[in-house]
Structures are given as structure tokens and as C-alpha cells.
Amino acid sequence: MNHYCTALLTDDSLSGKCQGTLRVAIKVQTFLIDTPDCNPMNNHADQRIDEIRNLLKGNPRGMSISEIAERLGLKRNIVSGDLNYLERLGHVEMQSIGTSKVYFSTTNIPLSGILNYSSDMILILDENKKIIEANAPVLRITGRNREETIGRSLEECSGPFFAALHAMGENGDGEQDLTLWLPQLDDPRGMRHFRVKQIPAVFEDTRRGTMIMVEDISEEIRYRDALRLSEAQYKAIVEDLPDLILRFLPNGTITYVNRLFRETFGQGDAEFRGENVYSYFSGQGRVEFLEHVHDAKGEAPVVTRVHAVQTKNGPRRLSFTIRAIFNENKKIIEYQGIGRDISAELDTRDQVMRHVAETEFLCRKSQNFLETTCDSDIFAHLSSGIAEIVPDAVVVICSYDNPTKMMRLRVIRDEKGADLLREIFGEKEVDFFLSPEILSKTGEYEKIQNGKLAEIKTDLLYPLVGDSSVRLLQQTIGHRNIYATMMVWEGDVIGATAICLPMGDELNNKSLVETCIGMAALTFQRHIIKESLSLSKNRFSMITETSPLPIAIIDPSGRYLFLNNKFIAKFGYTLDDIPDGKKWFLHAYPDAGEMQKARDLWMSDLKNSRPGEIRSRQLRVRCKDGSFRMIVFHPVTLLDGCQLVIYEDISELEEAERIRNLLAEIVRSSHDAIIGMTTTGRIQTWNPGAERIYGYTADEAVGKDIEIIFPPSLINEKDWILKKVRSGEFISDFETKRVRKDDAIIDVSVTISPIFDRENKIIGTSTIVKDITAKKAEERFRALESRYQEMVDSINVGVYRSTGDPEGKFIWGNSYLVKILGYSSFEAVKELPIVDIFLQTNGRKELIEDLRRSGFVKNRELMLKKSDGSVIYARVTALATFGSQGEISYINGIVEDVTENRVLSRKLASLQGLSEENRLYPS
């Protein structure tokens, strides 16, 4: 038996669809039968309804009430009532098009076909509570077939499912939840949850019944329980997170906030629930948060932005990440927000950005300052830099020249960048006198003399820019707050800067402005130093080039930076010859030992030196032309580590000193008397020779009048000599007589010279006195020696004088000596080493040793070699003359050829031997 019903769609949750215009819903409200609400239809009404149904079937596009009434010739109200009846049965469907109602025909299908499309369990009961239809899900969950189910009541069907439904039927209609333990199902959980709806129904045959719809909500319940557990776990996790967590509905209603959110905004949990999240934002901040939430609906459901909010601790900046949460229909059901207080981070970032901007500004300005070539550019860059930092300020910059005590107005720039200096004064710069006592006497200036900006009174600005200047300045810019500072270098003021702000304004970025001013001050100092260095360099160049001494500058690496012309002229080397110290040592010290010594001294002195300390060394240096000079090096370490070396050539001085020392030694060691005296005859110097000649010691003679050595008979000679000396005359080898301390009269030869100073003025007298006695004795000796040589030259004995060294050379010898040795002249003998004429190897050595011991050798027989190689016997008598050090100065000797005597002696001895033999052995 086929049952027909029409399900009227009233719920949005659909679990199935059937073809055609019939929409089958799991959750339906009512089933109706083809019967009027009151009396049964008569045949006429059935015919009318059939006509309407057939008419609508023939017009699938639909018809209005008026069109149907007109076509069938019926009244509109009758047609309207019939259509309402058919609509309730589900035979027709009405759609409103504009103000008209258009009706369409629908198609009925068997109820069993409808029920099997549903995933829910559906039972149809008749008015007697008998099951007339059960869909497949019911049979599957109960484990029964249709024969065991159809036609039976719920009570007659076995199993907990039917029993529970039967019990629910007794409790009334409506929707109820049901929980059953169904161990027969292949489900390890066993426990199943259902939602049961009992819906009254009317069949087409006007019988009434009940539709029981059972929805398996086990997964829903499990999902709900899991969701509740997950929600509890979620809240437990996020409650104490260090981030602000909130959840709110699409309309902004807050559903959850964590502890940090509550603490941040200062309310309890209950006070937040139900609040609108948008109320925590105001003004433009609320609009931005609304846009933030709206953007989370788009392609990116997670959006992060920063918002400014008012918390109980004041305004903060929070980074909010908004996530949209969707249901299975892609509809947003909730938003989750995660907020993090990034105020400190943003403050740090802002500080970093400010620091980066300030660093960029300082780098740019420092580059500007480094590229400046004149002082006017320095002050122009400073004024533009201050204007960049403090755009509303009028900038006044001055420089101060300590030597002249003049303050110079360099820049007056207004907030628009206009040059007020030229506008006010009509000049590019203005100078005025500023006494340093003004700054030192006024204690108010102390706070601006350390490079720091400080607010000062207007009247303190007058001296810095000049009284007349400040009045004109005030007339132009009006009264302002003034911040000023001095530019100070090494305790001296070199300039001043004033920043004039509108009244009531404070100076922001003070440290940056101070840094900019400090950079300008350093650059100005560099400019001053550069000019000073340029002046010093010019002076240095002039000094070095006009210096009478050679000068070199060597950098710390040993590279020669500078050689003055005197250096090149003195040594001949240029920078090409000696680019570094290594080349200098190679050229200047050709001897390896001297070079190593010079290098070691240089390195040792350099290692232990301090800046400004002079380390003098005296070394011999070879010049480029090969000559050697004695040089005193005067190196000094400069502050930059370079070496300034001044070379003093003392070759002439050393030679002069050597000569002076030699002369002094000669004077000291001279046997002659050398006397220095004034032009009046007072003795000033008295050498040992004078002591020996005259018998007076130096202490006895110095300071006395020279007349102490004049004999009474020659006292007038003193005046004559002094007169000649004072007139510049020179007296040479003047032979006269003088008196000794012991009153002995001696013959002397006197040489007297005037002594001149640098101005060629006679300041004294030099007297050299020779003992004439010695001279006479020498002359007599030479005369005697000459007569002696003439006399001995004719005797038959060799007479000689030789040196006393081991090899020996003849100084003089008579002709017989030359003859004995077999040579033609004394010149040939003179070149002959005496040691070579001794036949015995140690003959000369033994003779010298005997002479050293006793000073005299008498009748020593020696075997000597003649020039032709033959041997003679000689008898030598020698007398040694010793020097002051005990060495043999020379030897005087006599050589007698006794070869014939020796031969005769041998013959005589031979004859005596023969006579003796005859006597012993007579014939």
C-alpha cells in the first residue's frame, strides 16, 4: 500500500533532497491529508479542485488567482479558498511576484521513497500507534527487518530503541533527547545519543497518524563535549598567557577575555562578558579597529595591526592579531583577538629610528664639515644644521679671535632661512671688540662655557653679538627664549652660538644640537689648527731652508719625508738615493761593523726615547762623493711619532779641536818655554817648558810681571818688545839672555807674536822661548858628529847607527861598513833589513835582547852575510839609546871584520897542534 504525503519545508537544516519541485526535510512540522478543515468534500468540490489542479499542470509557468477564476468561470474567493486548500496539501506552491501571487502545480511521490533519502531515522505510526513505515536507518540501528517492524506497535517491537520511543510517546509530543546503550552496534563506545521529534500527521485518506523523527546526535554530543573540554583547556592555556586574549561575536559582543586583558583594562571577568569590544576604542581608533575586524573577513582571515588604546595605566600601543572563526557554512561565528603590548618595542623602535635619523644627520653634517675649505662654510653648515633640527629658531653664530679680542658676527638666520645679517646690517660679517674680562667677570656665562646649551637672559646676549646688534636683532625678530653656548678650545673661547625660540617654546633635541655645535667647533678648531699649521709649515720651511745645518724628517716606518737643501749639499744624497733608513745605512756606513753599530744605537735610542727628547750621537758618515764626515746626530721624536734629525758636521770642529789639543799638548810637552801675557807684560800662561827653562812653577809665575826673567842689564828690553807687539809687529828668533830663578844667566831665542781677537784687536802676547844652550849644544854636537863621521870614515872599522826594532834599518854608516858588507854605497845598505845579514837565525834577536838587558854589548863575534852570499866573521860592539817608554830608539855600534884573524887563528892552532904532535912523537 502506497502512502503519499507532502513535506512542507520550514527548517534551514537539510539532510537530503529529492528530484523535482518536492523538497524533503529532516525536520518537518506537519503532515496534512487531502481533506477540508471542517466537512468532507462533495463531488462538486472534488471536480472543481481537479479542474484547478489540471489547469495548473497545463501551465507550468504558473497562474494567478484572477487568471484561474477567469479561465474556469469561478469567483475569485472560491478559487482562493481552493488554492489555499491545495497549498496546505502540498499539491500547489505559491510564489509572490511583485504584488501578485502565482501558483504552480507540485508532484507527489511515495512516502517510502522520501523517507529513504533522509539520513535520520523516521517512523510513521497510524492512529493506532502501529508502525506503517520505517526507513532504512531505523532498521539498521535496531537490527530488524521490515517484516519484523511494519504493522507492529512500538511496544510489540523488541529492543531498547523501540522501548525508549514507546516510553517517550507516553510522556507527550515535542522534541526530546534520548541516550541509549546499544551494545549490538559495532561501536566501541556503545552509548548513543538521539534527538526525537514526534510530529502529528494527516494522511490523504484523512486518517491521522504520527511521524517520529530520530536524529543520531552522538557525534554532535561528543563534539559538544569535546568542544567544552577544548574550550576549558583553551581557557586554561590562554588565561595566564603574557598576551591579551579576547573573543567576541561579529556584532562585537565579548565572550571571553583572559587575565592579562582584565588587568590591563582594570575590570573583572563578569564585567567584560557581554561588553562590546568596540567600546574600548574611541574616535579614529575605533574606526581603525572596525576596519581591522572587517579585513579579517577577506581572503586573509588573520590580520595583525597596531592600535592605540587607553588602559588603566594610561595610553598604550597594542599589536592585535584578529582571526575570524567560521562554521561549516563558511559563516563567521566569532573572532579571536591576541593583543601584545608593544609600547616599549615601539618606543625602542622610535628611539632607534630617531637615533638612525640623528646618526644620518650627524654623518651628513660631519661630511659637510669635513669638506669645508673655509671658515664661512663651517658656520653656514652649522646654521643650516640647527635650522634642520629646530626649524622655528633664529640662529646667531659668532667667532672670537683671542689675539685681537674681536668678536665677529658670522650668521643670523631666521626660521625661513633668510640672511638677517645682511638684511639688518647690510654686511656679510660684523666685527666688534669683546674684552675677555666680560666673560670672566659674569658668572652667568660659566654655564655656557662647557659646550652645553643653556637658557640665558636677553641682556647676556648683548655682549656676545654687540649691543647695537642685539637691538636691531630684537626689532627684527622680537623677544624670544634664548639658548646659548660658547665654543671653547684649550680653555679659550673661539666662538658662540645662540638659538632664539618663540616665547614659551622649549629647545627639543638639545643633545643633537649640542653635538652639531660641537662638530662645528671641532671643524673650526681644525681650521684654526690648519691655518696655524700652514703658518708653522711656512715658518718651518723657511727655518729648514735657511738653517745652516742639514735637517731630515723620518716617519715612524723609517721612510724619509723631507731633506733640506743643506742636507743634500752636505751629504750629496737626495730622497731618491735614500728613500728609507735601510738605504741610508747602506750608503752612509759602508763598513758592515760600523753600519751595525749605527743601526743598533739608532734602534736602542728610538726604543727608549720620549717625545721631545733629544738623543745626540756622534758617528762617522760617508758622503755620496766618497768622503767621510764626522757628524753629531741630534734626533728628536715628534708628537706624531716622526723623527726630526739635525745633523751637525763637526769634522772641521773636530779637526780644530784636535789641532787645539795637539797645540795644547805641544805647548804642554814642548821643551821650549811658551808664555802668554797681556800687552802690559803680565804673565797669563806658563807651560812646563817655561818651568824647566826658568825654574819657576806655573803658580809662581802666573800673574807676575814678565820682568822677573829679565836680567837687570836688559830690563829695558821688555818695554822695547812690548812696544813692538802693541804695534802689531812680529819678533822672530830674537837671541838674548834671561835669568833663571837661581839667578843663572841663560842664552835664549825668543819669538814673540801679538794675539788678535775676532775684531782684529790685540789682546795679548804669545812668547816662545828656546833654550839657546840646547841649540848650541846641538850645533856643537852636529859639528862634532860631522867631524866624527869624517874621522871614522877613514878608519878600517865599520861605524853605524841603526833603528832598535827587531828587523832593523841602518840610519848611518861609514864607508868601511859598506865595504865590509860588500855593497857599493850606503844607499844600498840603508834599504837592507839588518836581520837578513845575520847568518844565525836568532842572531839579531839575541843582540836586541842583550841590549835591552844591559844597554851595551862589547866584542860580540857574529857571522854575517855579505852581498855576494859569502860569510864573514865580525866583532860587534853596540850601545843602545832608549826612548821615554823604555824602548830602544836607536843603536850606535862598531863592526870589525875579523875573518882574517879567525883564519890566522885557525892556522896558528893547526900549527900548534902539529908542533905538539911532533913533540910527542919525535921522528
Side-chain angles (χ1 to χ4, degrees):
M1 177 179 178
N2 292 328
H3 298 278
Y4 294 93
C5 72
T6 301
L8 189 61
L9 182 64
T10 60
D11 198 310
D12 291 336
S13 300
L14 299 177
S15 63
K17 295 181 180 180
C18 61
Q19 294 179 351
T21 62
L22 181 65
R23 289 173 289 175
V24 180
I26 295 175
K27 301 176 182 178
V28 297
Q29 297 272 341
T30 308
F31 285 89
L32 302 175
I33 61 174
D34 285 334
T35 179
D37 293 337
C38 51
N39 299 323
M41 294 189 341
N42 53 28
N43 292 332
H44 180 71
D46 290 340
Q47 183 180 0
R48 190 175 67 244
I49 289 173
D50 288 339
E51 289 177 353
I52 293 173
R53 184 185 295 138
N54 292 333
L55 182 61
L56 290 174
K57 287 181 180 180
N59 292 276
R61 296 173 63 90
M63 300 179 71
S64 66
I65 296 175
S66 299
E67 289 175 338
I68 295 172
E70 184 179 353
R71 291 280 297 271
L72 297 178
L74 300 173
K75 295 181 178 180
R76 289 184 80 262
N77 59 338
I78 295 175
V79 173
S80 177
D82 292 341
L83 287 173
N84 288 334
Y85 174 73
L86 289 173
E87 186 179 6
R88 289 196 301 273
L89 291 177
H91 293 177
V92 298
E93 180 182 2
M94 189 273 291
Q95 291 185 8
S96 296
I97 301 176
T99 59
S100 300
K101 295 181 179 179
V102 180
Y103 292 87
F104 302 89
S105 176
T106 60
T107 302
N108 294 330
I109 62 175
L111 182 61
S112 60
I114 298 173
L115 299 181
N116 287 330
Y117 274 97
S118 175
S119 61
D120 290 340
M121 294 165 281
I122 302 176
L123 289 171
I124 306 296
L125 307 181
D126 62 12
E127 58 188 358
N128 298 317
K129 302 299 182 183
K130 297 292 186 177
I131 301 173
I132 61 175
E133 190 61 58
N135 68 349
V138 172
L139 301 176
R140 187 166 54 250
I141 200 168
T142 60
R144 300 288 186 268
N145 55 33
R146 292 181 62 85
E147 289 72 14
E148 295 173 333
T149 305
I150 303 300
R152 299 186 181 188
S153 65
L154 295 175
E155 186 178 8
E156 292 173 344
C157 293
S158 62
F161 181 78
F162 292 109
L165 291 179
H166 176 68
M168 291 181 63
E170 295 178 352
N171 296 329
D173 298 334
E175 181 177 306
Q176 299 181 52
D177 289 341
L178 178 64
T179 301
L180 295 176
W181 176 262
L182 299 176
Q184 76 274 15
L185 296 178
D186 186 15
D187 189 343
R189 293 168 291 188
M191 191 69 69
R192 305 297 292 265
H193 302 275
F194 304 97
R195 181 170 290 125
V196 181
K197 291 183 181 180
Q198 298 188 33
I199 304 172
V202 179
F203 299 101
E204 290 184 350
D205 57 4
T206 71
R207 290 182 297 116
R208 295 183 180 276
T210 303
M211 174 185 286
I212 301 176
M213 299 183 64
V214 182
E215 180 185 1
D216 188 348
I217 61 172
S218 299
E219 290 301 322
E220 180 182 337
I221 295 300
R222 293 190 187 101
Y223 174 77
R224 183 199 66 191
D225 294 343
L227 184 61
R228 287 175 179 174
L229 177 61
S230 174
E231 185 76 9
Q233 292 174 342
Y234 166 81
K235 290 182 178 180
I237 291 172
V238 303
E239 180 66 18
D240 297 318
L241 284 179
D243 295 328
L244 287 80
I245 310 294
L246 78 154
R247 288 163 58 180
F248 57 93
L249 299 178
N251 63 2
T253 302
I254 296 174
T255 59
Y256 171 76
V257 294
N258 71 340
R259 178 183 57 80
L260 184 61
F261 192 99
R262 296 192 295 273
E263 292 176 353
T264 300
F265 291 94
Q267 292 179 315
D269 186 33
E271 294 174 322
F272 280 99
R273 226 176 271 119
E275 289 285 330
N276 193 292
V277 68
Y278 302 114
S279 64
Y280 292 95
F281 301 86
S282 60
Q284 184 62 29
R286 181 179 297 174
V287 174
E288 292 174 356
F289 190 78
L290 283 167
E291 292 176 351
H292 187 181
V293 174
H294 180 269
D295 291 344
K297 300 177 182 179
E299 296 180 358
V302 181
V303 182
T304 301
R305 288 181 189 162
V306 177
H307 298 280
V309 296
Q310 184 69 30
T311 69
K312 69 175 185 178
N313 295 323
R316 308 294 293 173
R317 286 180 288 181
L318 305 180
S319 172
F320 270 108
T321 298
I322 303 297
R323 176 186 290 274
I325 301 174
F326 297 87
N327 64 7
E328 63 273 12
N329 294 324
K330 306 295 184 181
K331 184 177 180 180
I332 297 175
I333 59 173
E334 195 175 31
Y335 291 98
Q336 174 179 275
I338 301 177
R340 184 165 57 89
D341 189 347
I342 60 171
S343 301
E345 295 178 19
L346 292 178
D347 290 343
T348 302
R349 186 196 66 182
D350 293 342
Q351 290 177 2
V352 170
M353 294 299 292
R354 285 195 299 271
H355 177 71
V356 170
E358 290 175 1
T359 303
E360 185 275 333
F361 168 80
L362 293 176
C363 289
R364 177 162 44 83
K365 278 299 165 187
S366 62
Q367 186 67 27
N368 293 148
F369 286 131
L370 287 173
E371 292 174 353
T372 56
T373 56
C374 61
D375 54 2
S376 59
D377 290 342
I378 297 173
F379 300 112
H381 287 310
L382 175 58
S383 65
S384 64
I386 295 175
E388 190 174 338
I389 303 170
V390 192
D392 295 332
V394 174
V395 182
V396 181
I397 304 174
C398 307
S399 64
Y400 185 67
D401 184 40
N402 271 289
T404 62
K405 312 304 179 189
M406 295 298 292
M407 184 73 86
R408 173 173 292 180
L409 271 173
R410 295 283 193 160
V411 174
I412 302 179
R413 174 189 177 125
D414 68 4
E415 57 268 45
K416 297 179 181 179
D419 183 4
L420 297 182
L421 184 62
R422 190 178 295 275
E423 180 179 328
I424 296 173
F425 301 99
E427 297 180 16
K428 188 176 181 181
E429 294 176 343
V430 177
D431 293 337
F432 56 91
F433 180 78
L434 177 63
S435 174
E437 286 74 14
I438 295 177
L439 302 179
S440 61
K441 290 180 180 179
T442 307
E444 291 289 337
Y445 287 117
E446 292 181 3
K447 62 183 180 181
I448 63 172
Q449 291 188 7
N450 56 0
K452 301 296 183 182
L453 283 164
E455 190 171 4
I456 64 172
K457 298 176 182 177
T458 305
D459 56 357
L460 294 178
L461 182 64
Y462 295 169
L464 300 182
V465 298
D467 292 347
S468 60
S469 301
V470 78
R471 293 190 185 95
L472 292 173
L473 187 62
Q474 283 185 343
Q475 292 174 6
T476 305
I477 66 174
H479 290 281
R480 290 182 174 245
N481 290 346
I482 300 171
Y483 291 83
T485 185
M486 295 287 188
M487 300 179 190
V488 181
W489 176 41
E490 295 182 351
D492 294 328
V493 175
I494 61 172
T497 302
I499 300 173
C500 307
L501 295 172
M503 294 298 293
D505 286 4
E506 292 186 359
L507 178 61
N508 298 320
N509 295 323
K510 183 188 291 186
S511 61
L512 184 61
V513 178
E514 290 172 346
T515 303
C516 185
I517 295 173
M519 291 167 56
L522 288 174
T523 308
F524 191 40
Q525 293 171 20
R526 186 193 67 175
H527 177 75
I528 295 172
I529 294 171
K530 186 177 179 181
E531 288 188 339
S532 178
L533 286 176
S534 177
L535 180 60
S536 297
K537 184 177 180 181
N538 293 334
R539 290 173 179 170
F540 175 77
S541 298
M542 185 177 296
I543 290 171
T544 53
E545 292 305 326
T546 58
S547 171
L549 298 177
I551 296 175
I553 298 178
I554 309 168
D555 72 6
S557 67
R559 185 167 59 93
Y560 278 77
L561 303 177
F562 173 78
L563 302 175
N564 70 344
N565 292 330
K566 285 293 182 180
F567 184 98
I568 298 172
K570 177 66 67 175
F571 300 109
Y573 301 120
T574 65
L575 285 174
D576 294 333
D577 300 319
I578 49 170
D580 52 38
K582 183 177 180 181
K583 292 292 185 181
W584 163 256
F585 283 111
L586 287 174
H587 286 299
Y589 307 101
D591 181 76
E594 290 185 1
M595 180 174 66
Q596 189 61 45
K597 176 185 176 182
R599 189 189 298 272
D600 291 344
L601 287 173
W602 173 264
M603 297 304 295
S604 175
D605 291 344
L606 188 62
K607 181 179 179 182
N608 299 317
S609 67
R610 295 186 300 272
E613 180 184 2
I614 300 176
R615 316 175 304 273
S616 299
R617 291 286 184 180
Q618 181 175 322
L619 295 168
R620 193 176 71 129
V621 173
R622 183 180 69 175
C623 301
K624 190 173 183 179
D625 61 4
S627 63
F628 285 88
R629 312 290 295 180
M630 186 59 67
I631 303 296
V632 176
F633 293 76
H634 301 288
V636 59
T637 302
L638 304 179
L639 293 177
D640 61 355
C642 291
Q643 299 294 316
L644 172 66
V645 186
I646 300 175
Y647 305 82
E648 182 181 359
D649 185 358
I650 61 169
S651 301
E652 287 78 5
L653 295 177
E654 188 177 56
E655 181 64 20
E657 181 66 21
R658 189 186 67 80
I659 293 172
R660 282 196 299 271
N661 292 337
L662 177 61
L663 291 174
E665 182 62 24
I666 291 173
V667 170
R668 187 187 65 79
S669 61
S670 175
H671 289 280
D672 295 337
I674 302 177
I675 303 169
M677 60 183 178
T678 64
T679 55
T680 61
R682 184 170 54 85
I683 299 172
Q684 292 180 315
T685 61
W686 187 268
N687 75 332
E691 293 181 354
R692 286 192 297 271
I693 292 175
Y694 295 110
Y696 293 100
T697 64
D699 293 336
E700 293 173 331
V702 173
K704 301 289 182 64
D705 194 283
I706 194 65
E707 64 183 13
I708 63 172
I709 61 171
F710 279 76
S713 59
L714 298 177
I715 194 66
N716 294 330
E717 191 176 285
K718 167 194 166 186
D719 296 333
W720 173 77
I721 293 173
L722 292 177
K723 182 178 178 181
K724 284 185 171 293
V725 169
R726 283 194 294 266
S727 64
E729 294 186 31
F730 178 79
I731 301 173
S732 177
D733 297 329
F734 174 64
E735 293 185 1
T736 184
K737 293 183 182 294
R738 293 290 183 260
V739 63
R740 286 174 49 85
K741 182 180 178 181
D742 58 4
D743 294 332
I745 301 298
I746 59 174
D747 292 323
V748 295
S749 175
V750 180
T751 298
I752 302 173
S753 304
I755 300 174
F756 297 89
D757 62 8
R758 293 182 179 178
E759 297 177 356
N760 206 30
K761 180 180 178 182
I762 299 173
I763 59 174
T765 301
S766 173
T767 302
I768 300 175
V769 180
K770 292 184 178 181
D771 191 346
I772 300 299
T773 304
K775 178 183 178 182
K776 299 285 186 183
E778 181 68 18
E779 290 176 354
R780 287 194 299 271
F781 172 75
R782 293 193 179 280
L784 290 173
E785 185 177 22
S786 177
R787 290 196 298 270
Y788 170 76
Q789 290 179 1
E790 292 176 357
M791 181 181 65
V792 300
D793 193 50
S794 60
I795 63 175
N796 293 329
V797 176
V799 181
Y800 71 92
R801 175 178 290 179
S802 70
T803 61
D805 57 284
E807 186 179 65
K809 290 284 187 177
F810 287 108
I811 299 173
W812 172 82
N814 66 350
S815 59
Y816 197 75
L817 175 68
V818 176
K819 179 179 179 182
I820 290 174
L821 296 178
Y823 289 89
S824 59
S825 66
F826 178 73
E827 282 68 23
V829 176
K830 188 176 181 180
E831 299 300 324
L832 181 68
I834 298 175
V835 70
D836 291 345
I837 67 174
F838 282 78
L839 184 64
Q840 295 90 344
T841 303
N842 295 325
R844 170 75 176 178
K845 181 179 179 182
E846 292 174 354
L847 178 64
I848 294 297
E849 289 177 353
D850 289 344
L851 288 172
R852 283 201 183 102
R853 283 193 298 269
S854 58
F856 179 74
V857 173
K858 183 178 181 181
N859 296 330
R860 171 75 60 84
E861 285 194 9
L862 299 172
M863 297 177 69
L864 304 178
K865 292 184 292 184
K866 297 179 65 174
S867 62
D868 58 2
S870 60
V871 178
I872 61 172
Y873 291 92
R875 184 180 295 118
V876 176
T877 297
L879 176 65
T881 300
F882 294 92
S884 59
Q885 303 297 325
E887 77 283 4
I888 299 176
S889 298
Y890 56 88
I891 302 170
N892 291 317
I894 299 173
V895 180
E896 183 181 359
D897 186 356
V898 295
T899 304
E900 293 181 0
N901 294 341
R902 176 57 70 91
V903 173
L904 291 175
S905 295
R906 286 181 180 175
K907 289 181 179 181
L908 180 59
S910 176
L911 291 175
Q912 288 177 350
L914 181 60
S915 174
E916 208 40 61
E917 185 179 339
N918 290 333
R919 186 176 61 85
L920 292 175
Y921 303 99
S923 56

